[in-house]
Amino acid sequence: MPTKVSRADGFLSSSTTLSTAETPDPDAFLEKRSASSAFSVEHVPLTTLPDWQLDDRLQHASGRFFSVEGLSIHTDFGPVPQWRQPIIVQPEIGILGILVKRINGVYHFLMQAKMEPGNSNLVQYAATVQATPSNYQRVHGGRSTPYLEYFQEHAGRRIVFDQLLSEHASWYLHKRNRNMIVEISEDEDIAPSDDFTWLTLGQLRHQLAQGNRVNMNARTVLSGISYTAEDDPDSYGDIPDAFHRQAVESHATGRSNADVMAATTWLIDQKAKFSLDVRRISLRDMDEWVCGEDSIRHREGRYFQIVGLSVAATSREVGTWWQPMLEPAGGNVVALICQRRAGALHFLVQAMIQPGLTDRMELAATVQLTPGSYRGPDEVPPLAEYLDAPESWIRLKTVQSEDGGRFSRADTTHVVVDVPEGHTVNAPDNYRWMPLGLLNRLIHSGYYVNVEARSLLACLL
Amino acid sequence: MPTKVSRADGFLSSSTTLSTAETPDPDAFLEKRSASSAFSVEHVPLTTLPDWQLDDRLQHASGRFFSVEGLSIHTDFGPVPQWRQPIIVQPEIGILGILVKRINGVYHFLMQAKMEPGNSNLVQYAATVQATPSNYQRVHGGRSTPYLEYFQEHAGRRIVFDQLLSEHASWYLHKRNRNMIVEISEDEDIAPSDDFTWLTLGQLRHQLAQGNRVNMNARTVLSGISYTAEDDPDSYGDIPDAFHRQAVESHATGRSNADVMAATTWLIDQKAKFSLDVRRISLRDMDEWVCGEDSIRHREGRYFQIVGLSVAATSREVGTWWQPMLEPAGGNVVALICQRRAGALHFLVQAMIQPGLTDRMELAATVQLTPGSYRGPDEVPPLAEYLDAPESWIRLKTVQSEDGGRFSRADTTHVVVDVPEGHTVNAPDNYRWMPLGLLNRLIHSGYYVNVEARSLLACLL
């Protein structure tokens, strides 16, 4: 039921509201939408994908959508100084947008039940709009994108959040999407069509806690949300869960301009210490990779492979289509260590170089574990031992899907480890403790927090 | 003489102070330093540069400093959809830092008289520190960099400005430097060595107005300065020059978070409209360019050429050296149109794609004219006709050098055209009026204002 709410309230009252007259049972809605459509997703040989050509690069005959190319990387960050790998190149800027509306004073989020062929649960909650120019200009001749106009013709609307943010920078080269939250007024009526529903932030938080129910693109948009001046600090005491209360308090911490300036100066120090040089090359010039009929894969089966998928669906823009997908080796984990410091919950982030980042380095979670990439134990990243922390320290452990439109079977375990106040974490120099309020301000500033960390931060709302 | 100054004053009192007991006559100091050293700068064939190798790229035997490579560009911005060109690749982050100190309450800037072989006036005022890691790690075995420690070990110091900003994005690929202003306390003594002197902002402003006396790297750092809350608006009336007074008032305008958010949303709209795809290629794969013994040049002599320089000097880190330089075709102009709108001076900027920009598009001046690049009148950019505006509209017209450490004989005429209030400027959609306060906040936010525009903005302090 709604807690006490005033007109000036921000997102906190939505976070503590678990049901309203305007929202369905979120589990039941998702199950119903899943059951309403039939999908078949099948692996097919890469070279049989209609309209896709594999040569120096893998690309669509139209020149649109995306291509897969080779990348040569040199860096002094991390244990491996140089390597070559395939990478997805998609220069266009997609829109990831969520419409919000106060209903009886409580923010509601217009979410879409959306099928993506790579997801473990095929149908998950997605943002109101999730579309690339190739989609919404209908290169495939598909259906129009509902609600797109709210994000393209936004003059006069209240824009809560609008920023270009990075995507998976081990798999994408310089990819960024526009993350938006746009508010419509209380008296503006929207009748959600079949696949759409209003949900509160509390309902989304519970969906996130279950795992594989809120898709990657929705999670990165949600990471733009914070609890700040618009929310009443006196109401923090009403939050039943102690860790949730601390997370909310942490959102109100570290938000000053001086905090942001100190953090960015530290990050520039880190950027100046490490170098990254990337160069696009032919797929044929990667000794350790095989371009075969079936797939593009590493000789030792490490990292990931590029496979072909055939998808038949009744609930997406196009009924049937074929596309390449990136399928990672399993076991990926993203983990944040947190600790109560100086009266507020702080999270240990690291400044990390990734080959596809637009500005080379962003903040990442404490541990970003990709077991399929390591040749031996000396390549395992620092602090990975905290993944075996005592059960009593674990505040969150769920499995979430990466973007199921490009990545197949890409499940990442999300973990939050809350270490006791007296405990000392021995982190390298490129690690720093930050409260959630500071991390949120950095997310609002652009290319500062990578998508893996943002995904985890969305689970901490 | 100093105007009335309080402890809380910002940069405005420094801007209106044209002499102090601690500062020399700026013209005389620069002339004296110029006369104290002998330099010889000579063009030599590119292939005779010791330690430089010309093959698929032009690079130093150490692998340090920088390289010149080929770049293949595709874009839907501007009249030319695709081309190939040489470009300088220098992944390391240089430090451009100015030390400031309040002396009797007035900010003083520690400036360096520095010789750079490409400058039209060889010796100009430079930032306190202007150094790449290749410099200060002494790859050439040169002298140590004075005052470097103030910018590298900045813990506990007051950092007035610290941001990674882009460099010339038609000539450099993804190059960025760290622009810093660090304040030392009034009781911290620095005895400036021979090439260094304290100057007020007013003295620098007059040096800027003369042209070719304040180098490019100093100008980009100075563009981080603004007149804001710390300055007393009541003192604006004391500023003798009417246009200077309007510029100072414009600095106090458009600084709110809402102003910044509206501007960045507009810029993201522009980024989403245009695409840019760049790919590094071999210098040998550029049909329109000739890699000769003497130089790398365009077949029709357009754009620029890469030449060799031999430099003998007694006042730089190394006594004698050789290096490649980029020498542009002449006649470059950068111009801002301004107009009094809604009570404050606004400047017409454009969102512009340039091949070397880290995030592809930044704000540029109203007109960025590079005559050596146009095949015909249809390639001349919009609003260039304002360069022939009536003399009474011209508020500033000076010639400034581009970075004389990389660019040879690269003089750019800087122009500000003040159009009357009733006049209508017909600008394309990717142009927008902004006050100086907003532009300054965007400069503080990172990759938003390109270096050509920042150079011009520094002349408007």
Side-chain angles (χ1 to χ4, degrees), chain A residues 167-237:
Chain A
E167 292 284 319
H168 274 273
S170 298
W171 300 339
Y172 270 127
L173 182 65
H174 301 164
K175 172 84 176 120
R176 64 264 210 269
N177 282 323
R178 181 175 198 168
N179 287 241
M180 297 183 88
I181 299 176
V182 171
E183 181 173 356
I184 60 169
S185 67
E186 292 198 51
D187 51 15
E188 190 167 355
D189 265 338
I190 283 189
S193 50
D194 282 355
D195 285 330
F196 291 81
T197 184
W198 293 109
L199 292 181
T200 68
L201 191 50
Q203 291 171 323
L204 283 168
R205 196 157 46 79
H206 279 260
Q207 293 294 303
L208 282 162
Q210 292 180 65
N212 273 334
R213 287 174 159 269
V214 180
N215 83 357
M216 181 74 221
N217 291 327
R219 296 199 302 278
T220 166
V221 178
L222 291 172
S223 76
I225 289 177
S226 195
Y227 307 113
T228 58
E230 283 180 48
D231 297 296
D232 178 14
D234 293 342
S235 67
Y236 291 178

Side-chain angles (χ1 to χ4, degrees), chain A residues 57 69 154 159 162 174 176 178 261 265 268-269 271 277-280 358-360 447, chain B residues 57 69 154 159 162 164 174 176 178 261 265 268-269 271 277-280 358-360 447:
Chain A
R57 57 185 117 163
E69 312 195 16
H154 47 66
I159 298 176
D162 182 16
H174 301 164
R176 64 264 210 269
R178 181 175 198 168
M261 194 159 170
T265 278
I268 296 173
D269 284 343
K271 286 183 180 177
D277 192 46
V278 299
R279 186 183 296 272
R280 287 153 75 175
T358 291
D359 200 25
R360 304 170 177 80
Y447 303 131
Chain B
R57 58 185 117 164
E69 312 195 16
H154 48 65
I159 298 176
D162 183 16
L164 293 181
H174 301 165
R176 64 263 211 269
R178 183 175 196 168
M261 194 158 170
T265 279
I268 297 173
D269 283 343
K271 286 184 180 176
D277 191 46
V278 299
R279 185 183 298 271
R280 286 153 74 176
T358 292
D359 201 25
R360 302 172 179 80
Y447 304 130

Side-chain angles (χ1 to χ4, degrees), chain A residues 74 82 84 99 175 232 236-237 277 300-301 307 373 376 394:
Chain A
H74 288 78
Q82 65 180 85
R84 295 178 169 208
L99 270 190
K175 172 84 176 120
D232 178 14
Y236 291 178
D277 192 46
E300 296 164 13
V307 300
S373 304
I394 308 295

Side-chain angles (χ1 to χ4, degrees), chain B residues 286-323:
Chain B
M286 301 188 301
D287 290 345
E288 294 195 333
W289 293 77
V290 184
C291 291
E293 293 284 308
D294 270 2
S295 65
I296 304 169
R297 63 181 192 280
H298 189 260
R299 288 194 190 281
E300 297 163 14
R302 298 199 288 125
Y303 306 104
F304 56 80
Q305 54 179 335
I306 308 292
V307 300
L309 234 56
S310 135
V311 188
T314 57
S315 75
R316 230 188 128 149
E317 294 87 353
V318 183
T320 304
W321 76 93
W322 296 262
Q323 68 169 89

Side-chain angles (χ1 to χ4, degrees), chain A residues 93-97 129-133 136 148 151-152 177-178 180:
Chain A
I93 296 174
I95 293 178
L96 312 177
V129 166
Q130 165 184 321
T132 63
Y136 59 70
L148 180 65
F151 302 94
Q152 288 200 309
N177 282 323
R178 181 175 198 168
M180 297 183 88

Side-chain angles (χ1 to χ4, degrees), chain B residues 51-195:
Chain B
D51 295 327
W52 286 88
Q53 296 149 353
L54 176 58
D55 190 15
D56 283 336
R57 58 185 117 164
L58 174 66
Q59 61 186 335
H60 194 261
S62 67
R64 296 294 296 266
F65 305 110
F66 60 91
S67 59
V68 178
E69 312 195 16
L71 195 72
S72 164
I73 297 111
H74 287 78
T75 184
D76 51 11
F77 182 93
V80 184
Q82 67 180 80
W83 73 92
R84 296 179 167 205
Q85 67 164 78
I87 200 153
I88 302 173
V89 179
Q90 185 175 12
E92 58 184 12
I93 295 174
I95 294 178
L96 312 177
I98 298 182
L99 270 190
V100 297
K101 178 181 174 177
R102 286 179 199 271
I103 304 178
N104 297 323
V106 174
Y107 270 119
H108 283 62
F109 295 70
L110 188 60
M111 305 303 290
Q112 177 186 182
K114 189 172 179 74
M115 195 289 292
E116 291 176 306
N119 288 345
S120 287
N121 288 346
L122 278 180
V123 179
Q124 300 192 10
Y125 283 112
T128 317
V129 166
Q130 165 184 321
T132 62
S134 292
N135 293 145
Y136 59 70
Q137 292 160 7
R138 304 195 221 173
V139 177
H140 267 323
R143 301 180 210 146
S144 69
T145 304
Y147 308 109
L148 181 64
E149 64 275 17
Y150 289 88
F151 302 94
Q152 287 200 308
E153 296 139 32
H154 48 65
R157 299 206 173 270
R158 177 160 182 256
I159 298 176
V160 179
F161 179 45
D162 183 16
Q163 192 53 270
L164 293 181
L165 297 177
S166 59
E167 292 284 319
H168 274 274
S170 298
W171 299 340
Y172 270 128
L173 181 65
H174 301 165
K175 173 83 176 116
R176 64 263 211 269
N177 281 324
R178 183 175 196 168
N179 287 242
M180 297 183 87
I181 298 175
V182 171
E183 180 173 357
I184 61 169
S185 67
E186 292 198 51
D187 52 14
E188 192 167 354
D189 265 338
I190 283 188
S193 50
D194 281 355
D195 285 330

